[in-house]
Amino acid sequence: MLWEALIGGAVGGLLGGPWGMAAGAALGAGLDVFRDRVAPPLDGVLTAAHHDDGLLLTATLSEPIPEGGFALFEAFDHDENRLAATDAAQRFANRWGHFQLTTSVHDGGVRAFLPFGVVDSGSATLDLRLRVFGAPEPDELDLIGELRVTVDWPQAAYSAARFWRPLLGLCMAVAHADGAVDRGEVRLVRQRVAAGLGIPVEEIETVTEILRTEPSASLVTLIDALRLRAPRLQARHVIGALADVAHADGAVSPEEVAMIRAVGAAMGVSPSHWRAWADEMGLEPR
């Protein structure tokens, strides 16, 4: 159940997230009421930085957007037709199949991760539109403005394994916590993660390759990357997934518990929540 809830916290287009009733209803309906409305240009710049498996999208705004709003990315061809999400990435589709990526406004700006292979485009470039909405009340929704950018778009397939790489890094940080990791433990972690995240069979070797090179960064860096890819992710679900990994070999060590607790602390988990979750998940609270 925790794995399914974790997957549900990933970036998507169909559901509303924590932005209130109006925002949730609008996202679920594909934002029809705003579809043909002309939005004022935001005073800022939208940039895209290439990473191994996607684009880091950043909107730097001259005037900060109030917290509590949300951002919507859509993709268009050169004739202004909305582009669809690929079959392998329907999490990024609205109910008509159009690509749609949503995230929160944070610290007055917008950051989002766009994986390669999620937009069905036959072109080497992609026109992206960012629209920012405010939700001052649960039953209100305002279109604040928009920005556009044209990006290079490689014809790469979507990889669920690579999308979840930061989480795989956290899993291996737990596995490494009590010393060296042998092939058997890597195999057990791979089985837990692949089954929990529903990673396709054809990507199992990719999971193995990633696990062998992780953790590739600090806990804080991995958590930041994970939150960027899955902004609605809840700390409880991450802790639950890591607890499942720790239980994979049949015994949970104090070092593994300490590592999971360190992840929780980095995600802002309070001592009281940690104690409750540790008891529920078979971890020794410390």
Side-chain angles (χ1 to χ4, degrees):
M1 184 63 178
L2 284 168
W3 286 100
E4 287 84 351
L6 189 147
I7 295 170
V11 174
L14 286 175
L15 301 179
W19 296 298
M21 294 181 293
L27 283 169
L31 291 161
D32 276 350
V33 67
F34 297 104
R35 185 163 296 281
D36 298 317
R37 185 177 300 182
V38 176
L42 290 170
D43 187 7
V45 178
L46 178 59
T47 59
H50 278 252
H51 287 243
D52 289 343
D53 60 334
L55 301 175
L56 174 59
L57 304 173
T58 304
T60 304
L61 307 174
S62 300
E63 294 187 9
I65 300 296
E67 295 287 320
F70 71 93
L72 168 71
F73 289 91
E74 296 175 297
F76 297 82
D77 64 19
H78 299 307
D79 294 321
E80 284 295 291
N81 298 307
R82 283 181 176 80
L83 295 175
T86 57
D87 291 341
Q90 286 300 295
R91 181 183 300 122
F92 296 84
N94 63 19
R95 63 178 180 176
W96 292 282
H98 296 135
F99 163 76
Q100 181 172 296
L101 186 154
T102 57
T103 190
S104 301
V105 174
H106 185 61
D107 290 337
V110 176
R111 293 172 71 231
F113 185 79
L114 176 61
F116 293 138
V118 300
V119 181
D120 191 2
S121 171
S123 172
T125 60
L126 202 64
D127 292 331
L128 292 176
R129 182 179 74 182
L130 163 67
R131 283 192 160 187
V132 176
F133 297 81
E137 299 292 339
D139 58 349
E140 293 182 16
L141 194 64
D142 297 327
L143 175 55
I144 297 174
E146 70 174 52
L147 289 171
R148 291 212 177 206
V149 68
T150 299
V151 300
D152 294 331
W153 190 247
Q155 297 303 303
Y158 172 68
S159 170
R162 297 193 186 283
F163 176 83
W164 288 109
R165 182 164 198 149
L167 179 61
L168 300 184
L170 294 176
C171 290
M172 288 310 291
V174 172
H176 279 282
D178 58 356
V181 178
D182 59 26
R183 290 183 179 181
E185 190 166 4
V186 171
R187 184 173 62 253
L188 290 172
V189 172
R190 182 189 66 193
Q191 290 171 349
R192 279 289 211 276
V193 171
L197 294 175
I199 293 176
V201 174
E202 58 269 24
E203 292 192 42
I204 295 301
E205 286 306 312
T206 302
V207 174
T208 302
E209 292 171 9
I210 292 172
L211 291 176
R212 286 172 177 166
T213 60
E214 292 293 334
S216 59
S218 68
L219 294 183
V220 171
T221 299
L222 290 170
I223 290 167
D224 181 65
L226 181 58
R227 281 176 161 161
L228 188 63
R229 294 170 186 238
R232 297 195 287 273
L233 205 62
Q234 296 183 28
R236 181 178 183 275
H237 300 147
V238 176
I239 298 302
L242 298 181
D244 192 43
V245 167
H247 282 286
D249 60 358
V252 180
S253 71
E255 293 82 6
E256 289 173 327
V257 172
M259 181 62 70
I260 297 173
R261 186 170 187 179
V263 172
M267 297 187 76
V269 175
S270 69
S272 61
H273 279 114
W274 165 256
R275 287 191 294 270
W277 297 348
D279 181 63
E280 176 188 342
M281 299 171 189
L283 303 174
E284 180 72 19
R286 292 180 178 274

